[in-house]
Amino acid sequence: MPASSSAQPTKERILGAAEELFARHGFEGASLRQLTAAAGVNLAAVNYHFGSKDRLIEEVFRRRLDQLNGRRMAALKDIAGQPGSTIEDVLAAFIVPALELSHDGNGSLFMRVLARAFAEHDDTLRKFLSENYGHVMRQFTAEFARLLPNLSKEELYWRVDLVTGALTHAMSGFGMIQRKSDVTEHKHREQTAQHLIRFAAAGLKSP
Amino acid sequence: MPASSSAQPTKERILGAAEELFARHGFEGASLRQLTAAAGVNLAAVNYHFGSKDRLIEEVFRRRLDQLNGRRMAALKDIAGQPGSTIEDVLAAFIVPALELSHDGNGSLFMRVLARAFAEHDDTLRKFLSENYGHVMRQFTAEFARLLPNLSKEELYWRVDLVTGALTHAMSGFGMIQRKSDVTEHKHREQTAQHLIRFAAAGLKSP
DNA sequence: CTCGGAATCAAACGATCGTTTGAGCATACG
DNA sequence: CGTATGCTCAAACGATCGTTTGATTCCGAG
């Protein structure tokens, strides 16, 4: 049983600080000493609770991706296979849950961590992401294929890859661009989603 | 005067190895010991020729960006302001020079280095890129603005940013996807360019 | 109260990091 | 030839890295 002295248990404090420092300085750039200092816990706590730095990195991913992809799959399930659904609907199911992460503490920082992992072509990390969350992209791709029946397999993959790159880049910047003070955060997120959906839909449907 | 014992002078060997290892392991992930070993030079050579690791990183950028953005600006100059030019022409001026980097030794690896720098929101690096090469993106954006007169400033920035993200992501992967053996490298590059141009043009022109 | 496992702590481990040093080597010039 | 000069080299510098250790504190169960 945990015997936490602070409001948040040690494990959560470490994960929170890790998310922030990994986003800001990268996986190799953020040391466990900075990290534990920022979390206000002892240096040895990381290895005690997670086993190693690499396992901590995996946990940072697992925690957010479970909720992110859970919501993505739930949103996709509502429209997949339905005759009335559109490309824009599928894109919304992919984008909106990601933008909603910014609600959740410093969850918006996680998209920056994800963008980093995207740019790193590190084999270990790619394998981990592919094994644990590959089915999500496969489901979305299948739905795009259904709604774009005229596209060859090769064309489809190209476009999905380009959309993924654009959206990951854009969403990693969300939360850094300051919204005007006269729009609510909800409105701002909605406008951002509309920008991304319109752009991506046009690219996917291009002649 | 250099007294090189090998085919390539020491400075170039270091830059080449740095490009490869920075692409593969990141700036912090690649150590000077790996780097100098890969280049076949002494450990102290980096600090002798470049002063520090940070200055080496800057030189890696400077060498490729000078040629890349030089070609981009030259290609843009041919079509900028011309009444007959199209969005696709401007995109080609941006994309083709980047894909042509793969000609040049391991120049294709540089796009991966660039994508990394993109994902890192490191202030020092961003400032360096902005100060030295910001005028290139500004010129391209101005040309997009001319060809898309109905777009608001805000809309335009959004779309240019999304295009940049998609293209950087895609071009960093170019060279990793293996082309079919029955197409020449020239043909492969041309087809890739066509994919990117069509996708980006559709996104920019979206209603 | 006593005991036992969970959690935290300061301290140290060996390894590796970027950088510096000073000697040694090569070439060019008087 | 003698001597500057540009360059390379092995070795060491202090700092910091991820990880481990062993003692200490904490708290609930018996």
Side-chain angles (χ1 to χ4, degrees), chain B residues 4-14 16-17 41 63:
Chain B
S4 72
S5 58
S6 299
Q8 266 189 353
T10 299
K11 239 178 156 176
E12 291 299 319
R13 304 232 251 119
I14 292 176
V41 304
R63 182 178 66 149

Side-chain angles (χ1 to χ4, degrees), chain B residues 103-179:
Chain B
H103 267 182
D104 224 337
N106 51 11
S108 71
L109 286 173
F110 176 70
M111 292 309 292
R112 283 173 61 182
V113 178
L114 200 56
R116 261 182 196 280
F118 226 64
E120 312 219 11
H121 290 229
D122 178 88
D123 283 342
T124 308
L125 200 50
R126 284 181 102 76
K127 194 178 173 191
F128 169 79
L129 291 177
S130 165
E131 280 176 358
N132 293 279
Y133 305 99
H135 65 287
V136 177
M137 276 315 296
R138 251 171 276 137
Q139 285 264 56
F140 273 91
T141 303
E143 196 58 21
F144 284 130
R146 186 179 71 86
L147 293 169
L148 298 164
N150 294 331
L151 252 50
S152 69
K153 242 181 160 55
E154 194 199 349
E155 265 289 344
L156 178 70
Y157 287 153
W158 258 109
R159 299 192 186 186
V160 170
D161 189 52
L162 285 163
V163 163
T164 310
L167 296 184
T168 303
H169 167 71
M171 293 186 298
S172 79
F174 183 72
M176 299 191 61
I177 49 173
Q178 75 278 19
R179 57 185 167 85

Side-chain angles (χ1 to χ4, degrees), chain B residues 28-39:
Chain B
E28 315 228 29
S31 73
L32 293 186
R33 283 173 175 82
Q34 301 170 24
L35 205 155
T36 50

